[in-house]
Amino acid sequence: MISTKPYLIRAIQEWCVDQGFTPYLQVVVDSRTRVPREYVRDGQIVLNVGVDATHQLLMGNEEITFQARFNGTAFPIIVPVSAVAAIYARENGQGMAFEVAGEASGQSRSLDEESQPSELEPEPGAGTASSTDAPAPESSGAARPKLTRIK
């Protein structure tokens, strides 16, 4: 039986885009994951998978592939669906967290306890494939929304 995980990832990404939100994909990086390693923090990376930040985005049942710009350089991204830890809207934190193979079972964590996104701002005029690394959250004094992992 095929997992529901890729369908849920696609649904939340589509919902974010429809609402005008920026969909972020939190990924546990392993040997099968192709991302720029210099942006990996604590074994994870947060990627912007919005339509303005990606080129040739394909969200399949086994892997998510696209091209993105990191500091102005195009980079092909390959993320196995099994490595996706969460997908959520940058603006309000709404989304869904997933179990990632290799994680200790019975452990519940929130995104705040996991690695924070790298601090990379999209380049102005970068076209449709802007930086996919998540910018640092704005410090407006308001509490940051939490996404709790449900098992």
Side-chain angles (χ1 to χ4, degrees), residues 60-134:
N61 288 343
E62 298 297 321
E63 64 184 16
I64 299 168
T65 61
F66 58 95
Q67 290 185 359
R69 291 192 177 275
F70 291 82
N71 275 341
T73 304
F75 195 92
I77 305 293
I78 300 173
V79 174
V81 169
S82 62
V84 174
I87 183 167
Y88 60 96
R90 178 189 74 181
E91 292 77 4
N92 62 13
Q94 290 186 355
M96 185 173 284
F98 302 99
E99 187 95 15
V100 176
E103 278 189 6
S105 59
Q107 192 175 8
S108 205
R109 301 183 306 191
S110 72
L111 286 179
D112 282 348
E113 296 167 355
E114 295 175 354
S115 71
Q116 296 298 315
S118 302
E119 297 182 21
L120 227 200
E121 292 295 325
E123 291 185 12
T128 58
S130 63
S131 171
T132 59
D133 216 70

Side-chain angles (χ1 to χ4, degrees), residues 2-151:
I2 297 174
S3 169
T4 57
K5 186 175 181 177
Y7 298 94
L8 294 169
I9 292 169
R10 286 191 294 267
I12 293 171
Q13 190 269 352
E14 183 179 343
W15 173 82
C16 286
V17 171
D18 287 350
Q19 297 300 312
F21 296 147
T22 308
Y24 277 0
L25 199 65
Q26 184 174 2
V27 178
V28 174
V29 178
D30 61 15
S31 61
R32 302 170 302 141
T33 309
R34 184 170 180 183
V35 296
R37 300 293 178 180
E38 60 268 26
Y39 298 106
V40 174
R41 302 286 181 260
D42 298 324
Q44 298 189 13
I45 189 168
V46 176
L47 301 167
N48 177 345
V49 289
V51 293
D52 292 337
T54 60
H55 181 65
Q56 296 178 332
L57 175 64
L58 295 173
M59 300 180 87
N61 288 343
E62 298 297 321
E63 64 184 16
I64 299 168
T65 61
F66 58 95
Q67 290 185 359
R69 291 192 177 275
F70 291 82
N71 275 341
T73 304
F75 195 92
I77 305 293
I78 300 173
V79 174
V81 169
S82 62
V84 174
I87 183 167
Y88 60 96
R90 178 189 74 181
E91 292 77 4
N92 62 13
Q94 290 186 355
M96 185 173 284
F98 302 99
E99 187 95 15
V100 176
E103 278 189 6
S105 59
Q107 192 175 8
S108 205
R109 301 183 306 191
S110 72
L111 286 179
D112 282 348
E113 296 167 355
E114 295 175 354
S115 71
Q116 296 298 315
S118 302
E119 297 182 21
L120 227 200
E121 292 295 325
E123 291 185 12
T128 58
S130 63
S131 171
T132 59
D133 216 70
E138 297 163 10
S139 54
S140 61
R144 183 167 178 236
K146 291 186 178 184
L147 183 64
T148 304
R149 193 174 299 248
I150 300 172
K151 298 189 181 194

